[in-house]
Amino acid sequence: MVKDTIVDGFQNAPHRSLYHALGLTKEEQERPLIGIVSSYNEIVPGHMNIDKIVNAVKLGVAMAGGTPIVFPAIAVCDGIAMGHTGMKYSLITRDIIADSTEAMALAHGFDGLVMVPNCDKNVPGLLMAAARVNIPAVFVSGGPMLAGRVNGHKTSLSSMFEAVGAYAAGKIDDAELRKCEENTCPTCGSCSGMYTANSMNCLTEVLGMGLKGNGTVPAVYSARIELAKHAGMQIMELVRKNIRPRDIMTPAAFRNALTADMALGCSTNSMLHLPAIANECGITLDLDMANEISEKTPNLCHLAPAGPTYMEDLNEAGGVYAVLKELAKPGLIDTSVMTCTGKTLAENIENADIKDTSVIRTVDDPYSKTGGIAVLRGNLAPDGCVVKRSAVAPEMLKHEGPARVFDSEEEAIDAIYSGKIVKGDVVVIRYEGPSGGPGMREMLSPTSAIAGMGLGKDVALITDGRFSGATRGASIGHISPEAAKGGLIAYVRNGDIISIDIPAYSIELKVGESEIEKRKSSVSIKKHSDLRGCLARYAEQVSSADRGAIINRS
């Protein structure tokens, strides 16, 4: 065991003395040392219950003969950080989490890790760390929030942001807005739609790093505590068998994850996180794989914001395993892959079944024959851009209109709320990319404002930034190359015609080459002059979005 290099022998007596300082008995020191990475805090609703999850994991580890030791990981609430400078810090925490977890795990010689994340960057950050340190690991998240209830209808955070747009348009009054804000987020947990946190927790099951129900059992259910105990027990099995993350997260596992992503209708942020996690495994995920897989993968779920169902509904309908079993029927999933259960995926899903076809459709009756996400290319995004196709209204799958250009999210929001955006427009928000933002802010506020003001079926939005999983509509992000790196989006002008054809995977700026070259010689790329600390370091080192916004280690 890794721990033995720290504990055994006379030369390690100083180390053992420090274990005694922790109150660890000789017997505890002789057992496998299991690190429990806790992302508990009191500012993120998805993390406020994680102390209970961690305690349950500790019990499971101890019951199975291990010594549990807790250390922390940070987490940012994207909802609270949304629409201001705080969002610049969200994506960068993915690498901070991975780096700090790597440091803690390897500095202290843990034999195994139980990762307890929940929200947007926390899950991929810890998956990156698991791949990097490559000691046995299992994931158990804090679980999803229950859906809210407003005027007799289920609701979630995306509805809340859209209510702000409706209020600005005079469609609802103060009392209705207050009713929404007091009833939309009723429990702890990750926000209840198929947003980024829930997308990544579901994909953790698909990748084989989380037990059944990790992505869907609600945070407030006692079954979540039982799941945490089982995760604590299961890490001991993985340690005994020496099954490691890179044994589980193979190329086949990542193809499974992309396939399930398409069927579930996951957040576009998965197109940032899956390549970044794969990179830590020494695997390259090309964005074009997404379209290849999407072409043959039916979209089986329409969870909020794409439809009227929520994570609790997916859980009751059979969960992720039911989706995987349905995808396995036509051979879309490789079921031979190893998982953290110590069994193959085929063994895991053997008894899974769809219990409600209004939540999980069959492959013979999908919402669409193609997957939930599409990667578009064209002169405006030669390296690609991403759209959540399953959340786009049919009338906006093809759209051509004049550009309305803004150099920041704040400028765009002001224009939307002041009525300057009209039907047919293509809102362009630039200098919000990984380097140009920096931090690639999510654009939930402007997309929700567009939807709330009744323009969701008439206006497109494109950006070199990214979108929250709560975004719906013709919202196209990750434009690569970004404006700050000289991408064509930097040279778009008001009134330029932009053509979007999602079924054809195409996005084009209808401006001649000679005019584009003229603009390139006369327009200066905007540069940051006031960055400090981790933002400055990130802006200098981060890759483009099409590579997963990974840190360039060279």
Side-chain angles (χ1 to χ4, degrees):
M1 291 185 291
V2 179
K3 168 185 64 60
D4 293 343
T5 62
I6 296 175
V7 172
D8 287 354
F10 73 91
Q11 72 277 13
N12 287 324
H15 302 74
R16 293 194 296 273
S17 72
L18 291 169
Y19 282 144
H20 283 296
L22 291 169
L24 294 181
T25 66
K26 180 176 180 294
E27 291 79 8
E28 287 176 303
Q29 294 179 40
E30 290 171 348
R31 296 171 182 168
L33 195 65
I34 305 300
I36 302 173
V37 189
S38 169
S39 56
Y40 167 76
N41 63 50
E42 294 183 340
I43 188 60
V44 183
H47 292 236
M48 61 183 284
N49 67 316
I50 280 178
D51 56 340
K52 297 177 178 60
I53 304 296
V54 166
N55 285 336
V57 172
K58 289 174 69 176
L59 282 172
V61 170
M63 284 190 291
T67 298
I69 302 288
V70 179
F71 65 88
I74 64 168
V76 164
C77 177
D78 279 17
I80 294 174
M82 195 73 65
H84 59 90
T85 300
M87 182 49 70
K88 293 179 183 288
Y89 289 89
S90 173
L91 184 57
I92 75 171
T93 64
R94 187 184 69 182
D95 292 279
I96 294 171
I97 290 163
D99 290 348
S100 58
T101 303
E102 172 195 0
M104 288 294 290
L106 296 183
H108 298 99
F110 290 105
D111 295 302
L113 297 170
V114 181
M115 308 293 200
V116 191
N118 208 27
C119 289
D120 301 50
K121 311 312 160 303
N122 202 242
V123 184
L126 289 181
L127 282 165
M128 289 164 67
R132 197 182 295 174
V133 302
N134 201 35
I135 60 175
V138 65
F139 279 64
V140 56
S141 75
M145 184 183 292
L146 292 179
R149 300 290 195 281
V150 177
N151 298 328
H153 299 285
K154 286 184 176 181
T155 188
S156 60
L157 187 65
S158 55
S159 304
M160 189 65 247
F161 275 87
E162 291 177 15
V164 174
Y167 180 85
K171 295 182 177 183
I172 62 173
D173 58 16
D174 288 331
E176 186 65 19
L177 185 65
R178 176 60 62 87
K179 183 193 296 183
C180 290
E181 71 181 74
E182 291 178 350
N183 294 282
T184 291
C185 298
T187 73
C188 62
S190 49
C191 296
S192 56
M194 187 54 82
Y195 309 146
T196 306
N198 293 326
S199 295
M200 293 310 302
N201 280 321
C202 286
L203 294 181
T204 300
E205 284 191 59
V206 183
L207 282 169
M209 292 297 292
L211 300 179
K212 179 184 179 182
N214 181 58
T216 60
V217 174
V220 294
Y221 282 14
S222 297
R224 174 70 46 184
I225 300 296
E226 294 182 34
L227 181 65
K229 291 176 183 175
H230 283 296
M233 290 185 275
Q234 186 58 30
I235 188 59
M236 297 304 298
E237 185 71 12
L238 295 176
V239 169
R240 280 189 285 270
K241 292 182 177 178
N242 196 29
I243 298 174
R244 299 171 180 244
R246 282 184 234 157
D247 299 327
I248 295 170
M249 291 192 285
T250 61
F254 280 103
R255 285 191 69 88
N256 284 348
L258 282 169
T259 302
D261 185 305
M262 298 301 170
L264 288 164
C266 291
S267 163
T268 52
N269 281 313
S270 62
M271 294 296 103
L272 284 177
H273 300 323
L274 287 175
I277 299 160
N279 178 66
E280 298 290 350
C281 296
I283 299 167
T284 299
L285 285 191
D286 189 320
L287 274 186
D288 288 331
M289 287 174 62
N291 286 345
E292 172 212 332
I293 290 172
S294 179
E295 280 295 326
K296 56 188 179 185
T297 304
N299 179 226
L300 305 182
C301 300
H302 262 195
L303 283 85
T309 54
Y310 296 83
M311 295 307 295
E312 63 207 61
D313 302 313
L314 179 60
N315 186 61
E316 292 167 12
V320 174
Y321 277 18
V323 175
L324 292 176
K325 187 168 184 179
E326 190 65 19
L327 292 171
K329 291 177 180 177
L332 297 174
I333 290 286
D334 184 341
T335 60
S336 69
V337 295
M338 178 53 61
T339 71
C340 69
T341 65
K343 301 176 182 178
T344 65
L345 184 58
E347 293 174 286
N348 288 347
I349 65 175
E350 184 177 0
N351 296 318
D353 287 299
I354 297 174
K355 299 174 183 176
D356 186 345
T357 54
S358 70
V359 179
I360 304 171
R361 291 197 177 184
T362 65
V363 291
D364 297 323
D365 182 33
Y367 283 100
S368 64
K369 293 181 179 180
T370 53
I373 286 177
V375 175
L376 315 184
R377 291 186 188 271
N379 67 347
L380 197 51
D383 293 336
C385 57
V386 180
V387 62
K388 189 170 183 176
R389 170 167 49 185
S390 60
V392 178
E395 42 277 71
M396 289 299 291
L397 290 171
K398 294 184 179 182
H399 180 76
E400 188 168 289
R404 297 290 177 260
V405 184
F406 306 95
D407 287 348
S408 72
E409 177 187 12
E410 288 83 356
E411 292 177 23
I413 292 171
D414 288 344
I416 295 166
Y417 283 146
S418 62
K420 295 178 182 177
I421 304 302
V422 299
K423 289 184 177 182
D425 283 348
V426 178
V427 176
V428 178
I429 305 178
R430 61 193 179 192
Y431 292 104
E432 292 285 7
S435 179
M440 206 179 181
R441 289 195 290 178
E442 289 185 341
M443 302 288 145
L444 179 56
S445 293
T447 57
S448 297
I450 288 169
M453 296 183 77
L455 295 171
K457 295 181 179 180
D458 304 290
V459 171
L461 190 154
I462 70 170
T463 180
D464 53 8
R466 61 194 177 94
F467 295 110
S468 162
T471 293
R472 62 187 175 98
S475 303
I476 300 164
H478 308 195
I479 296 281
S480 299
E482 61 176 295
K485 298 296 185 181
L488 186 56
I489 191 172
Y491 305 103
V492 179
R493 292 181 178 174
N494 283 319
D496 287 349
I497 300 300
I498 294 175
S499 176
I500 299 163
D501 189 336
I502 294 173
Y505 305 114
S506 170
I507 183 166
E508 292 285 336
L509 177 67
K510 295 293 191 71
V511 174
E513 283 295 325
S514 60
E515 172 61 20
I516 289 172
E517 290 305 313
K518 189 186 302 181
R519 293 182 190 181
K520 287 182 177 179
S521 64
S522 62
V523 175
S524 298
I525 299 298
K526 295 186 176 182
K527 302 292 184 184
H528 292 290
S529 59
D530 58 348
L531 292 180
R532 301 177 65 187
C534 56
L535 281 181
R537 186 166 60 248
Y538 189 83
E540 183 179 337
Q541 297 178 345
V542 69
S543 79
S544 60
D546 64 290
R547 293 178 54 209
I550 61 173
I551 296 298
N552 292 310
R553 301 296 176 184
S554 60

